[in-house]
Every structure is written in C-alpha cells, then in structure tokens.
Amino acid sequence: MAAMIMMKRNARIALMVLLTAGLWLALKPTIGNRRLTFLPVRWSEYVDFMDFWFNLGAFGLLGITAWLAFGTKEKILSRAFVMVGIITLLNVLLELVQTSIPGRAVDMADLWAGLLGCVIGIASGLVSQRLMNGRHPNNAVPQVLFLDQTGRLGGAELMLLDIASARAADSEVILFHDGEFRAALESAGVKTRVFRLGDEASAVDRQAGLSRALRCVPGLVDLMLRIARAARSFDVVYANTAKALIIGGPAAKLAGCPLVFHLHDIVADGHFSALNRRLLIFCANTFANAVIANSEATKAAFISSGGRAERCVVIPNGFLIPEVRSTAADIESRRSSLGIPPDAWIVLMAGRLAHWKGQHVLLEALQAMPDAHAVLLGDALFTDEDREYARRLHVQAAVPALAGRVHFAGFQSETLPFFDMADVVVHASVFPEPFGRVIVEGMLACKPVIASRAGGAAEILQHEHTGLLVEPGNARELADVMMRLKNDPKLAADLAQNAQRTAHDTYALHAVQAKIEAVIRETACCENEQAPVAETTAQIRQAA
Ligand code: UDP
C-alpha cells in the first residue's frame, strides 16, 4: 500500500515536470519573439495576449486532468477533458480571427493541431462520462460512506446502526471517535474506520461560540481532507450528525460526491448556538443534495432557520418489531436485581441523562407518588454539562421523599427487558424532542406512554388515544397524569394497545429503510443536481 502511494506520488511529480517543460516549449515562441504584451495597445497585441492565456489555461487544465487521472473520480476527469476541448476550440477561433489583422495569416498547422486537440478533449470527456455511467447504472446499489461524529450510542447512532447494517456490503462508516458504536457496527458486519478528531475540535459542542470554533479549524481541515480522500471511492456521502455535515460537506464536494444529510436535531435555540445554527444551515444548503428530517418538527425548524424546504423530506426512525418479549420470571428477576419491591408501580424513563431530557422533572413528580418507583435507563453520554447534571440527579434522588425509589440502571445495550417490566413509560423533555425513539419503544412494548407536548413527541402520540401528553417541564401535571394511569388500569391498557398497533403500522424498520434507500439512490443518480428529493417526498406521501 505504501509502495503504491509512493509510486503514484512519483508519477505525479514526473507528470508535472513534463507538463511544465511542454508549457515552456509551447509558449516560448510567443515570449521569445517578444510578441507578448501584458498591457496590449494594438488589436494584434490583444490576440497574442489571448493566445497566451488560452494556451496557459489549456495546459493548466491538462495538468489537473492528468493529476486527477491517478485514482480520483472520473466525473471530474470527464469535465476537465471537456473544458480542455472547449479551451482548445476557443484557441482555434482566435487563430481564425488573426486573419482579420493586416499582415497576419492563418497558421494551418496550428489550426489543425487545435482542432484535433479540441475533438480529442471533448470526445475523451464524453467517453469517460459514458464509462462512468456504465459503472454506476441506476439499478446498481450505490456505495455509501456514512459519517458520524461520535463513538457513543445515542438515538441518531442507533438509527444509523440499523441503516448501515441493512446495506453492510455496500457501505462503510467513518466515526470521529472510537467507542461502543464502532463495536456495534463491526459486529453487524459494517466496515468501520475511526478518523479521530483533534481534542480542540472535539471540545466544540453545539453551543460553542466563535473563538472556540476558530481554534479547532486546523484539526477540522485535516479531517476534512482525509474524508475527501476516502469518499472518492463512494457514490454518496451520508452525514448523520451536525459535525459530520460541517466536515463531510466540503469533503464530499472535494471528492465530487453527492451528499445526504440526516438531520436528527431541532435547529433552534436551546439545542444550538446562533453561530452553529447558521453554520449548519449554510452547510446543508451548500453541500447537501437531500436532507432527511426525523419529524415534521425537525423539518419546520430547519426551514424556519433558513434551510431549503425543497431538499428536505421527513422520514421517522424505524424499529425492529421484537418477536420475543420477557417472561414473567425475567421481569421478576430484573426487579429484584434493581432492588424494587414486587408490588411497586414502576415508571421507566429511558434515554441519556441530560438536562433537556428532563429526568429532574420526573423525580420532582415522583415525590407526589409515594408508592411509585422510577427506573432511569441511560447515562450522561456526550458533554461535561451532562455529567454534572447526572451528579445533580443522584443528589436529587437521595432526598428523604425519594430515597430508595429511584434506580439508576446506567447505559444498557439491551433495553427491551426494562420496557417490559415498566407500568408506564415517561418522556419528559423540557425542550422539543426532535423525534423520541423511547416513546416508540414504549409503544411497541405495549405500555402506556406519557410524553411532553412538543416537537416529534407530539407527532408520535395522539393524546388520549395512543398516549397522554403533558406540558413540558410541568412536574405537577406529570404527577397528576401518572396518578390517573395508576388508578385507572383499563385506561392504561387501552392506551397501550392502541399505541402498539399504531407503532407496528407506522415505524416498522423495513419500511423506513426502504424510504431512506430511495433517497440514497435518487441522490446517487442525480449526482450534483440540487433538489433531488421532491419526487421522493411525493412518493413517500403517496406510500403513506
Ligand atoms: N438507549 C439505550 N440504552 C440505554 C438508554 C437508552 O440503548 O441505556 C436507547 C433508547 O432505547 C433509544 C435511544 O437510546 O433507542 C435514545 O433515543 P432518543 O431518540 O429517545 O434520544 P436521543 O438520544 O436521540 O436524544
């Protein structure tokens, strides 16, 4: 591999030397005869001046073309060939214009050479374009390079795990950090590489300001170039997070690859700083051929922040419908391993520990329900603020009114048994949730679900039919609604059954994967044309 890289480098150097020598020989007569004037006065001097620049342009493009010929995208190659052809044609026309200058005649040898160069350039461009189309016909499976900034397993990563696993033979994933996500991808048979992001750049989160963002530029540029090199052997780059878009967008452009951006966040205050919001929208509008939003709320926030509506399509997360659920004995043993009494009413809250996820709201509500126990599934995954919040939650859980009733289960890769042992699943985000996978997981487990009335959560649950919605951050209302479910088992059972039916119909993984694959294929076929998703959006609406 190293020998190959060395050979390519030497070949490029030799080529550049040859091209420079050719350029010198081609331009020498013009320069040597002192016919070239950089500030032309007479008509004939303008012609020489143009002649010089056409030659220079043609040689420059020829150089770039030859350079690209060593292992990069053929589409750049074909465009460069066509450009060389056009420049040479202009040169020929210039040669003809010279006949109108008194005392000047057409140099027939120059003319024929120019015409030949023009035909060869344009023909090579068209042939390489045709060969390229033959290599990636519309019905071939596009090769996709997925990018994700984290090695941890958040909701966006679990969705990507499902997408990439289903097309493992035609995909590769690049992560900017190592972690359990890489292990999960590899055990699903997905080729995964870690291109580590420098510490400066890693420290920049979605709330970062200008000075912190500027300090990480060198690390970002380095990563971008490495991704651009990797992207050259793929048909589509698929950015799964905001940082993946900001770094992967320019990289995909450099590699001549179209890009799909999967937007899992609500682009608004509370989730992003103003600067990061602008940067994300700029990158999405400039580099993404298609944007997949995980809910209508996510799409609406994207558009109202300046994102292009015509490129954005809503596709919810998909879920594998579990065929086997926990037995009564499994549930019993899990309860006792957590130290929960057999007759206790269990409230499950699943998801990473972060202030905006609202675990503190549930603990506050729990104070009004002396017999209930809460299980908090998940950990602080991403930032120091989250870790600090987790510490404060432990303090809150230790107050006498809650002592022994709050069980921190930590991050679990197997979540099903926890949903199965719950009496109710609560989602309490204080900011609008972009999607809310845990809500659908609760529905699939046939549990009554209570969620905050905002964002994607309010789209998933139909109030009083498939679940109950409460005002975000209102612990009193949450306590009242939990009490209502505890005292009315029939209502709880009806809500749970309606929810399970709806979840089966709407969020089956194979249907969601098919929609995402349609966007990928359409993007791969449309190459760099903008707005390719309009048709797909229509198809998806039709299918729905
Ligand atoms: N989850 C998990 N293990 C845990 C806690 C949560 O695998 O210990 C999963 C949970 O089942 C859900 C995802 O993490 O699939 C969280 O997704 P959600 O959309 O609720 O929140 P996000 O992390 O995307 O903000």
Side-chain angles (χ1 to χ4, degrees):
M1 187 68 185
M4 186 69 164
I5 292 170
M6 185 69 102
M7 235 171 72
K8 278 187 175 183
R9 187 175 303 155
N10 291 342
R12 285 172 185 169
I13 292 169
L15 196 83
M16 291 317 280
V17 171
L18 284 176
L19 280 165
T20 314
L23 178 65
W24 169 246
L25 289 175
L27 298 178
K28 201 168 141 260
T30 323
I31 299 169
N33 296 344
R34 296 189 181 285
R35 273 173 31 204
L36 188 69
T37 318
F38 280 94
L39 283 173
V41 181
R42 280 170 299 144
W43 169 227
S44 64
E45 286 171 355
Y46 269 110
V47 172
D48 283 336
F49 184 69
M50 293 298 288
D51 198 23
F52 172 81
W53 285 109
F54 278 143
N55 276 326
L56 195 70
F59 265 93
L61 272 169
L62 205 66
I64 294 168
T65 306
W67 185 285
L68 291 171
F70 287 92
T72 57
K73 293 298 258 190
E74 298 87 332
K75 62 190 144 192
I76 306 179
L77 186 70
S78 65
R79 279 171 206 169
F81 269 132
V82 172
M83 285 300 292
V84 170
I86 291 170
I87 288 203
T88 319
L89 182 65
L90 289 173
N91 212 353
V92 167
L93 293 178
L94 202 71
E95 205 63 55
L96 290 174
V97 168
Q98 293 196 59
T99 52
S100 61
I101 302 171
R104 299 282 286 272
V106 184
D107 181 337
M108 287 310 284
D110 249 18
L111 194 72
W112 286 118
L115 277 175
L116 189 67
C118 161
V119 170
I120 291 175
I122 292 179
S124 311
L126 296 179
V127 167
S128 68
Q129 182 77 46
R130 184 163 282 245
L131 285 177
M132 192 182 76
N133 286 345
R135 238 191 58 184
H136 305 297
N138 284 357
N139 58 359
V141 181
Q143 303 299 299
V144 179
L145 178 65
F146 292 96
L147 305 175
D148 195 290
Q149 71 201 46
T150 177
R152 311 300 308 268
L153 272 171
E157 288 67 39
L158 288 166
M159 183 71 247
L160 177 55
L161 180 60
D162 285 335
I163 301 167
S165 309
R167 54 180 348 282
D170 304 292
S171 307
E172 190 175 321
V173 178
I174 290 180
L175 304 178
F176 303 167
H177 286 280
D178 207 349
E180 66 268 13
F181 185 24
R182 181 181 56 78
L185 284 162
E186 283 176 350
S187 65
V190 183
K191 188 175 172 207
T192 309
R193 282 190 278 172
V194 177
F195 284 9
R196 216 171 286 280
L197 187 58
D199 289 344
E200 285 284 8
S202 303
V204 176
D205 56 24
R206 284 179 292 182
Q207 295 292 338
L210 185 60
S211 66
R212 267 175 83 192
L214 283 178
R215 261 181 280 144
C216 66
V217 168
L220 294 183
V221 171
D222 176 57
L223 182 58
M224 197 184 79
L225 294 176
R226 286 160 68 201
I227 292 171
R229 272 200 295 276
R232 283 171 184 164
S233 30
F234 291 88
D235 300 313
V236 173
V237 171
Y238 189 111
N240 196 51
T241 57
K243 259 184 209 167
L245 168 72
I246 291 164
I247 299 166
K253 202 50 141 198
L254 273 179
C257 246
L259 181 126
V260 175
F261 172 42
H262 200 149
L263 178 59
H264 297 274
D265 299 301
I266 292 202
V267 188
D269 261 357
H271 288 283
F272 289 88
S273 70
L275 176 74
N276 281 355
R277 224 165 42 226
R278 277 199 291 275
L279 185 60
L280 185 141
I281 295 295
F282 168 79
C283 288
N285 288 347
T286 309
F287 302 117
N289 299 71
V291 177
I292 298 173
N294 58 0
S295 67
E296 291 294 343
T298 302
K299 180 179 177 180
F302 175 70
I303 294 168
S304 65
S305 298
R308 297 205 177 150
E310 72 279 9
R311 289 188 205 166
C312 189
V313 60
V314 174
I315 304 180
N317 277 208
F319 299 80
L320 209 61
I321 314 262
E323 279 165 15
V324 184
R325 308 250 23 153
S326 319
T327 61
D330 294 337
I331 292 173
E332 207 42 59
S333 82
R334 188 153 308 268
R335 284 174 87 111
S336 67
S337 71
L338 285 168
I340 302 174
D343 56 342
W345 199 72
I346 298 179
V347 184
L348 175 76
M349 191 161 167
R352 59 201 155 93
L353 305 182
H355 180 268
W356 76 273
K357 289 286 186 183
Q359 281 88 356
H360 61 285
V361 181
L362 172 63
L363 296 198
E364 207 182 316
L366 202 70
Q367 298 205 15
M369 300 189 69
D371 303 329
H373 281 238
V375 175
L376 300 186
L377 185 63
D379 213 339
L381 287 191
F382 297 124
T383 65
D384 287 342
E385 276 164 39
D386 293 350
R387 285 179 272 278
E388 174 52 31
Y389 176 70
R391 272 192 291 278
R392 276 188 277 125
L393 275 180
H394 278 90
V395 173
Q396 187 182 358
V399 297
L402 291 176
R405 294 200 289 127
V406 180
H407 309 269
F408 291 88
F411 182 86
Q412 303 282 337
S413 50
E414 194 57 61
T415 59
L416 219 77
F418 289 87
F419 281 93
D420 285 341
M421 76 172 189
D423 290 294
V424 63
V425 171
V426 166
H427 161 275
S429 292
V430 293
F431 291 136
E433 180 75 50
F435 181 75
R437 289 175 62 87
V438 290
I439 298 170
V440 180
E441 287 160 351
M443 294 164 82
L444 287 171
C446 201
K447 300 292 168 182
V449 181
I450 304 171
S452 294
R453 186 183 287 106
E459 290 167 36
I460 297 172
L461 288 184
Q462 200 184 337
H463 187 53
E464 300 284 352
H465 178 61
T466 55
L468 295 173
L469 294 169
V470 294
E471 191 194 330
N474 188 335
R476 156 136 251 119
E477 189 186 357
L478 178 59
D480 289 348
V481 169
M482 286 197 293
M483 196 65 90
R484 191 177 152 208
L485 284 178
K486 186 168 183 287
N487 294 336
D488 189 347
K490 164 124 184 24
L491 170 69
D494 287 348
L495 290 175
Q497 272 156 21
N498 294 341
Q500 194 183 41
R501 261 196 308 276
T502 305
H504 278 209
D505 294 345
T506 319
Y507 302 107
L509 183 59
H510 62 89
V512 168
Q513 277 165 340
K515 290 173 187 174
I516 290 178
E517 194 60 28
V519 175
I520 290 174
R521 280 172 188 251
E522 205 173 325
T523 306
C525 291
C526 292
E527 302 267 319
N528 289 328
E529 284 161 30
Q530 303 299 330
V533 296
E535 212 180 309
T536 307
T537 314
Q539 283 165 0
I540 287 168
R541 282 204 196 103
Q542 244 173 25

